[in-house]
Amino acid sequence: MKKRFHIFDTTLRDGEQAPGFSMNLDEKVRLAAQLELLGVDILEAGFPISSDGDFQAARQIAKNITKCTVAGLARARKGDIDRAWEALKFAKKPRIHTFIATSDIHMEHKLRKSPREVLREAVEAVKYANSLCPEVEFSAEDATRTDIDFLCEIVEATIDAGARVINIPDTVGYAMPWEFGELIKTLRERVPNIDKAILSVHCHNDLGLAVANSLMAIRNGAQQLECTINGIGERAGNASLEEIVMAVHTRNPEFQQKTNIKTSEIYPTSKMLSEITRMEVQVNKAIVGQNAFSHEAGIHQDGVLKNPLTYEIMTPNSVGLSSNNIVLGKHSGRRALHARLKQLGYDLSRDEMDKAYDAFIAIADKKKVMVDEDLVELISGGGGGGLSSTFIKETMQEYLNRP
Ligand code: KIV
Ligand code: ZN
């Protein structure tokens, strides 16, 4: 049987904390319900000490959500942990996620603490969180820039203190995929009690490598991936949930693992997030961008119309889109135009098709995309002009004069 790794969604915490992505209570509650439907295993509902809004939202989500674990973030401090527990205590499956920075640069310049103090505070925080909550996750912030001996030591100590999940964040998106894979392998080999915890990773996208690093982690023994819808998150964002899931789904023999994600809910979830935050994804975004299943080049359209597998490595249906999109523009071929005209009810003779295609290309050269209304106008023609050269000339003129 295939092993399953856990998807930890942090759209409502790391994602929401990015500029322009803030959500109100109702919006968070609505998105949380959709994430549950999507099938995430753990949903990070917020950072309860950070604001009253975050606290209220985490509390409401903890009350509503029953299928997945609901996590809340807390620094390694008693006050943070108390506030997180106050928000999470009604959850069916609560998890306190506590963290402290472990790299020299963070310990010296941000925390102004010695490694010994950081180790002690991490252990105390995990023990305290464990006295309140049945499941505790510990994150070693900036793990990829942390001295490896110290990282192994703090991971071992926090597992002994009761952490059931150990998270290794690439907080600043600095790691290369091969280094990150090696780091996960090293932790598995060197930390004697590592089997008592679930090993997790949390990758940021500063160098565009968050998904690649997450996949390398899975190949080297990570059991939980932290990610966000549309890859939103601090700075360049977090690893994108949809890219990770579809990579593992599409190239399954490479991983021999599965997730609990209902892939047909990917597109609706992405759209809901864009609609709530009024932030569209870039058109060429993998999996959920407007162009991800669109074809304009004539050769590609011809291939896709004959068999979608020629240019599509996954089906639009598998991510929740009803169909692919054959975009008619100046790069399109006769076959695509013919197919679309047929769908619109026009079965043209060869001669008519020649004229239609010439007119189509002439107009498409000026107008980026030809939509169905343009085609109807082109074929039927205002005043019955149809494909006559006067009509085409006029139509072109009209398009050129459009604001
Ligand atoms: O990027 C990071 O290190 C974090 C931790 C709090 C997990 O978001
Ligand atoms: Zn983060």
Side-chain angles (χ1 to χ4, degrees):
M1 213 173 69
K2 271 186 206 154
K3 277 199 286 185
R4 182 161 85 79
F5 66 91
H6 293 167
I7 292 287
F8 177 117
D9 179 275
T10 183
T11 308
L12 291 166
R13 199 278 296 169
D14 212 322
E16 205 256 354
Q17 100 198 16
F21 286 95
S22 60
M23 295 172 228
N24 65 30
L25 188 131
D26 287 349
E27 292 165 342
K28 285 184 185 176
V29 166
R30 189 151 71 94
L31 190 61
Q34 178 61 29
L35 290 168
E36 185 176 42
L37 190 67
L38 176 67
V40 306
D41 300 282
I42 304 102
L43 187 165
E44 190 161 49
F47 188 4
I49 191 105
S50 68
S51 70
D52 195 48
D54 247 47
F55 174 81
Q56 297 299 349
R59 193 173 153 95
Q60 195 55 50
I61 291 168
K63 286 182 178 171
N64 292 4
I65 297 297
T66 55
K67 293 201 185 80
C68 32
T69 296
V70 180
L73 189 67
R75 284 166 297 184
R77 295 180 187 178
K78 187 172 177 300
D80 279 38
I81 294 170
D82 284 335
R83 194 75 174 142
W85 181 240
E86 203 43 43
L88 298 174
K89 66 183 178 196
F90 300 106
K92 199 165 171 203
K93 293 186 262 175
R95 178 187 292 182
I96 292 179
H97 175 193
T98 186
F99 74 100
I100 193 163
T102 52
S103 64
D104 286 346
I105 188 161
H106 277 236
M107 291 191 291
E108 190 182 330
H109 298 283
K110 186 182 78 172
L111 301 176
R112 305 216 163 100
K113 287 184 177 155
S114 70
R116 289 305 105 195
E117 283 173 285
V118 166
L119 183 79
R120 184 176 45 75
E121 288 182 19
V123 166
E124 275 171 15
V126 169
K127 281 190 179 154
Y128 183 61
N130 228 2
S131 72
L132 305 172
C133 183
E135 197 168 81
V136 176
E137 169 169 340
F138 171 72
S139 282
E141 191 191 7
D142 205 18
T144 49
R145 294 191 299 169
T146 296
D147 172 76
I148 185 66
D149 293 335
F150 184 56
L151 188 61
C152 289
E153 188 182 356
I154 202 163
V155 166
E156 183 181 352
T158 49
I159 295 174
D160 274 345
R164 283 296 151 259
V165 183
I166 293 291
N167 186 38
I168 305 299
D170 184 23
T171 302
V172 288
Y174 179 72
M176 291 291 124
W178 51 94
E179 291 168 351
F180 199 58
E182 202 52 42
L183 174 61
I184 299 306
K185 195 163 156 239
T186 304
L187 288 167
R188 290 222 79 93
E189 285 164 2
R190 282 188 48 186
V191 177
N193 55 0
I194 199 75
D195 287 340
K196 293 205 178 102
I198 289 175
L199 191 54
S200 165
V201 301
H202 173 114
C203 299
H204 277 272
N205 206 29
D206 300 67
L207 293 172
L209 295 170
V211 171
N213 284 338
S214 305
L215 297 177
M216 280 305 277
I218 280 296
R219 281 175 66 104
N220 285 281
Q223 299 135 306
Q224 172 181 288
L225 296 188
E226 302 198 357
C227 47
T228 60
I229 301 296
N230 297 345
I232 70 169
E234 284 283 357
R235 305 180 309 281
N238 287 63
S240 136
L241 180 150
E242 58 277 7
E243 293 176 23
I244 289 173
V245 169
M246 290 315 288
V248 173
H249 188 86
T250 308
R251 298 296 308 275
N252 203 260
E254 291 292 319
F255 297 93
Q256 293 294 339
Q257 297 219 39
K258 57 180 185 169
T259 68
N260 201 31
I261 297 294
K262 194 169 166 192
T263 61
S264 59
E265 288 299 332
I266 284 179
Y267 192 71
T269 314
S270 161
K271 271 288 172 214
M272 181 185 284
L273 176 64
S274 298
E275 180 239 306
I276 287 175
T277 58
R278 290 179 204 84
M279 291 281 215
E280 283 296 330
V281 297
Q282 75 213 44
V283 288
N284 62 330
K285 163 87 176 63
I287 320 294
V288 291
Q290 193 187 307
N291 286 357
F293 292 94
S294 297
H295 307 276
E296 183 177 333
I299 296 170
H300 292 205
Q301 290 178 336
D302 182 45
V304 167
L305 287 166
K306 286 173 177 150
N307 182 343
L309 290 178
T310 52
Y311 287 99
E312 282 176 3
I313 58 169
M314 53 204 148
T315 66
N317 285 344
S318 66
V319 300
L321 269 166
S322 50
S323 66
N324 58 19
N325 184 17
I326 300 286
V327 178
L328 292 176
K330 68 171 180 180
H331 302 111
S332 302
R334 293 169 60 94
R335 209 180 121 73
L337 178 64
H338 186 246
R340 178 67 63 82
L341 288 175
K342 233 176 150 180
Q343 280 167 1
L344 292 171
Y346 300 105
D347 204 0
L348 302 190
S349 68
R350 179 178 274 274
D351 188 41
E352 285 170 328
M353 195 53 218
D354 284 345
K355 280 187 185 171
Y357 187 65
D358 287 349
F360 164 82
I361 288 295
I363 297 169
D365 211 20
K366 314 285 172 206
K367 190 179 183 287
K368 283 201 168 95
V369 172
M370 296 284 277
V371 296
D372 289 350
E373 292 77 61
D374 299 323
L375 298 181
V376 171
E377 207 176 335
L378 179 72
I379 303 303
S380 310
L387 291 168
S388 74
S389 46
T390 340
F391 171 71
I392 292 167
K393 228 165 110 194
E394 279 169 10
T395 312
M396 276 182 69
Q397 206 52 54
E398 202 184 302
Y399 278 125
L400 290 174
N401 290 341
R402 275 183 187 173

